[in-house]
Amino acid sequence: LKTIFKAQSIVLTINAIGGLFLTSTFLESANFTVTADMITLGQFLGMTFLWLAVLSWRIPDIAGDAFNNLGKLFALGSFLWFLIISA
């Protein structure tokens, strides 16, 4: 389970870099029309991905006895992200 959190953190970091530094490309790859407002939104999403990456990386170290329950909750949240992206 720890490996899954670390792998997800790496994927989120890649998305964070795309959102923060390659915002136009990041948004165009999702078929968005790039405007100044969308650039701001993309950078906001990039920062959100970065925060989730840090959180995902650290959860195995700080969850303690609640690690399995927290893993299930995090899996549910990740699945919801998957559903919205794949729609």
Side-chain angles (χ1 to χ4, degrees), residues 1-62:
L1 194 56
K2 289 182 179 185
T3 305
I4 293 172
F5 277 96
K6 301 293 183 182
Q8 182 173 12
S9 178
I10 292 167
V11 170
L12 286 165
T13 300
I14 292 168
N15 281 301
I17 291 168
L20 288 169
F21 303 111
L22 305 167
T23 312
S24 293
T25 304
F26 183 73
L27 293 171
E28 287 172 352
S29 69
N31 292 322
F32 285 109
T33 303
V34 179
T35 64
D37 290 339
M38 288 300 290
I39 295 288
T40 303
L41 179 65
Q43 291 170 339
F44 174 79
L45 288 173
M47 187 57 69
T48 303
F49 288 146
L50 184 60
W51 165 241
L52 288 173
V54 170
L55 190 63
S56 182
W57 189 268
R58 291 290 295 144
I59 280 176
D61 299 327
I62 60 175

